[in-house]
Amino acid sequence: MMGISVKGSIEKLETYKPNFGKSNLDNLIRLSANEGALGTSLNAIKALKSFSTNLHRYPPQVSEDLINAIAKRYLLKKARIILGNGSDELISIIAQAFLDTKDEAIYTEYGFLQFPQAISIAGAKGIIAKDNDLTANVDNILSKVNERTKVIFLANANNPTGTFISKDEVIRLHSSISSNILLVYDAAYSEFINHDEYIDGSSLVEKYDNVIMLRTFSKLHGLASLRLGWGYCSQYILDNLMKVRGPFSVNTAAMVAGIAAVEDIDFQKKSVAHNSKWMGWLERQLKLLNLSFQKSLTNFLLIKFPNQKKYNAQNAEKFLANKGILVRGMSVYKLQNYLRVSIGTAKENTTLINELKIFLENK
Ligand SMILES: Cc1ncc(COP(=O)(O)O)c(C=O)c1O
């Protein structure tokens, strides 16, 4: 007898599996999810504590106050901002809104995992553009464009590699594609980036209707648990994404905390300074340990381990897990020799390096 069956494109998918460990979070050093090292802005926590009434009410469909706060903080036009239940939701609804089963969407070889996931769920065909040295490559992306291409997904800087492509390369990519291809420019880590050659994509959005920039409150703003992301795009994209988005997908707590977080410039400055200080420190320590890594502009580092049984990435991941340190294995990205490690607190970073030293000395 025939039973129910999911779409073929879903059947082949793997459920997303973060490395969060099984034990109580308080006993763990969690460097596996690129979360904010300094926690959350105290102003955001205060705002959340004073918010407790009216839980029986649905949230507003659109939080004008949060949109105004984002527009003010990032000097953007409020009419172009769309909120989502994390930028993950925005990635999904972009795929659902813009991709049909006959369409193709391009993503980069080591690009963020949610891109191929969202493309498959939408039932479209994902096309991989090869990276060069774990970095997106514009010529390789352009070589995959054809008349079926509807969307190009690019995370800049990218997770899990931490690498980025320059402003000139982003502009070259955009100017080489036709205006009926949507460029999804995911700038989740842009607030950590201070580099002359980087662009966050907002200027492209303001000039062209076929670009959407994605941002998140999960990294710099330390609100990953509340699920809050936003996009910056043309009216056409925004109106159509709102048709697909769950009507109340952004909850009231996220709205309240989001406003306080985005206005807390001091906390943001502290977090960026902490990140760059400890990124430099980790780079120096890894060099001393003879471990190579990708230069990263984000709040995490992709570390390469020797391809020898004893010192390989899988054994390092297990060793660290036994010490209560969670890092991200990369086999799902087919980067078996690598581990991705988020920048943590001072104590977490020093504990990580001390344990890595012990692991590598344990010959
Ligand atoms: C490149 C990139 N885009 C999007 C996201 C998802 O962010 P959110 O927590 O807002 O869904 C992440 C999270 O790791 C990411 O690395």
Side-chain angles (χ1 to χ4, degrees), residues 40-53 55 222-223 225-226 251-258 260:
T40 307
S41 143
L42 289 181
N43 293 354
I45 292 170
K46 220 185 283 166
L48 267 183
K49 280 186 177 155
S50 63
F51 145 84
S52 59
T53 54
L55 289 182
L223 288 179
S225 68
L226 293 180
N251 68 72
T252 320
M255 291 173 182
V256 166

XYZ file of all heavy atoms in Angstrom, residues 40-53 55 222-223 225-226 251-258 260:
191
model
N 24.807 39.448 25.641
C 23.807 40.381 25.098
C 23.935 41.733 25.781
O 24.307 41.798 26.958
C 22.398 39.798 25.376
O 22.358 38.459 24.884
C 21.310 40.615 24.715
N 23.600 42.772 25.070
C 23.560 44.117 25.646
C 22.684 44.122 26.897
O 21.564 43.601 26.882
C 22.977 45.063 24.587
O 22.166 46.037 25.173
N 23.195 44.720 27.982
C 22.395 44.769 29.216
C 21.104 45.559 28.997
O 20.079 45.281 29.612
C 23.209 45.408 30.350
C 24.352 44.538 30.888
C 25.078 45.269 32.021
C 23.832 43.179 31.380
N 21.164 46.537 28.114
C 19.948 47.315 27.811
C 18.877 46.414 27.198
O 17.692 46.561 27.473
C 20.252 48.448 26.835
C 21.147 49.489 27.461
O 21.445 49.412 28.657
N 21.586 50.458 26.671
N 19.316 45.476 26.359
C 18.347 44.567 25.726
C 17.740 43.641 26.785
O 16.541 43.370 26.775
C 19.024 43.761 24.618
N 18.580 43.191 27.709
C 18.075 42.303 28.772
C 17.090 43.060 29.662
O 16.028 42.552 30.019
C 19.258 41.723 29.579
C 20.039 40.760 28.673
C 18.778 41.015 30.840
C 21.346 40.293 29.227
N 17.445 44.305 29.962
C 16.551 45.142 30.780
C 15.213 45.331 30.059
O 14.142 45.216 30.657
C 17.220 46.510 31.019
C 17.008 47.038 32.424
C 17.566 48.434 32.610
C 19.084 48.476 32.769
N 19.658 49.838 32.616
N 15.280 45.614 28.797
C 14.047 45.842 28.019
C 13.179 44.581 28.049
O 11.960 44.651 28.210
C 14.391 46.226 26.585
N 13.830 43.430 27.949
C 13.081 42.165 27.956
C 12.421 41.927 29.307
O 11.302 41.425 29.388
C 14.030 41.004 27.695
C 14.195 40.538 26.262
C 15.118 39.335 26.226
C 12.843 40.198 25.646
N 13.138 42.295 30.383
C 12.601 42.051 31.733
C 11.371 42.909 31.987
O 10.461 42.504 32.700
C 13.671 42.328 32.783
C 14.632 41.166 32.896
C 15.609 41.348 34.021
C 16.492 40.119 34.125
N 17.785 40.445 34.740
N 11.350 44.103 31.416
C 10.200 44.977 31.683
C 9.033 44.663 30.746
O 7.967 45.247 30.840
C 10.615 46.444 31.542
O 11.006 46.660 30.221
N 9.253 43.724 29.867
C 8.201 43.379 28.907
C 7.586 42.056 29.332
O 8.224 41.028 29.275
C 8.834 43.285 27.515
C 8.254 42.228 26.621
C 7.112 42.476 25.887
C 8.853 40.983 26.512
C 6.584 41.510 25.077
C 8.325 40.005 25.704
C 7.180 40.272 24.986
N 6.372 42.087 29.855
C 5.772 40.810 30.263
C 4.265 40.804 30.099
O 3.649 39.764 30.181
C 6.150 40.483 31.707
O 5.688 41.519 32.523
N 3.709 41.963 29.908
C 2.246 41.993 29.779
C 1.865 41.748 28.320
O 2.708 41.751 27.428
C 1.682 43.355 30.231
O 2.363 44.352 29.486
C 1.883 43.576 31.705
N 1.063 39.162 26.724
C 1.592 37.991 26.003
C 0.492 37.289 25.208
O 0.784 36.488 24.327
C 2.227 37.002 26.990
C 3.535 37.448 27.621
C 4.084 36.349 28.531
C 4.573 37.808 26.581
N 24.103 39.761 19.701
C 23.978 38.731 20.747
C 22.546 38.317 21.055
O 22.211 38.024 22.205
N 21.683 38.277 20.035
C 20.282 37.906 20.293
C 19.866 36.638 19.540
O 18.707 36.505 19.128
C 19.359 39.068 19.873
C 19.363 40.314 20.766
C 18.417 41.372 20.189
C 18.937 39.969 22.188
N 19.071 33.749 20.365
C 17.948 32.948 20.880
C 16.590 33.527 20.489
O 15.596 32.807 20.465
C 18.033 32.824 22.402
O 17.805 34.091 22.985
N 16.536 34.806 20.223
C 15.222 35.413 19.928
C 14.872 35.341 18.445
O 13.738 35.633 18.067
C 15.202 36.870 20.409
C 15.262 37.046 21.926
C 15.236 38.521 22.295
C 14.091 36.338 22.591
N 8.638 37.742 16.752
C 7.837 37.850 17.980
C 8.098 39.156 18.725
O 9.102 39.844 18.483
C 8.071 36.621 18.876
C 9.471 36.613 19.421
O 9.803 37.418 20.282
N 10.314 35.725 18.903
N 7.195 39.468 19.646
C 7.268 40.764 20.337
C 8.539 40.900 21.175
O 9.118 41.979 21.255
C 6.019 40.953 21.240
O 4.886 40.465 20.529
C 5.804 42.404 21.566
N 8.967 39.802 21.807
C 10.187 39.881 22.630
C 11.381 40.271 21.757
O 12.216 41.099 22.150
C 10.439 38.536 23.310
N 11.457 39.688 20.568
C 12.558 40.015 19.650
C 12.501 41.485 19.245
O 13.538 42.158 19.155
C 12.492 39.112 18.413
N 11.311 41.982 19.036
C 11.169 43.392 18.649
C 11.657 44.317 19.761
O 12.418 45.264 19.527
C 9.698 43.706 18.334
C 9.195 43.029 17.068
S 7.407 43.277 16.894
C 7.093 42.351 15.384
N 11.220 44.013 20.995
C 11.569 44.851 22.144
C 13.092 44.819 22.390
O 13.750 45.855 22.539
C 10.797 44.351 23.396
C 11.356 44.945 24.669
C 9.319 44.669 23.257
N 13.642 43.613 22.413
C 15.079 43.484 22.678
C 15.893 44.033 21.507
O 16.962 44.627 21.700
C 15.432 42.018 22.922
N 15.392 43.827 20.303
C 16.108 44.290 19.098
C 16.305 45.794 19.105
O 17.392 46.289 18.772
N 16.418 47.825 21.731
C 17.411 48.193 22.757
C 18.820 47.803 22.303
O 19.780 48.549 22.526
C 17.066 47.511 24.078
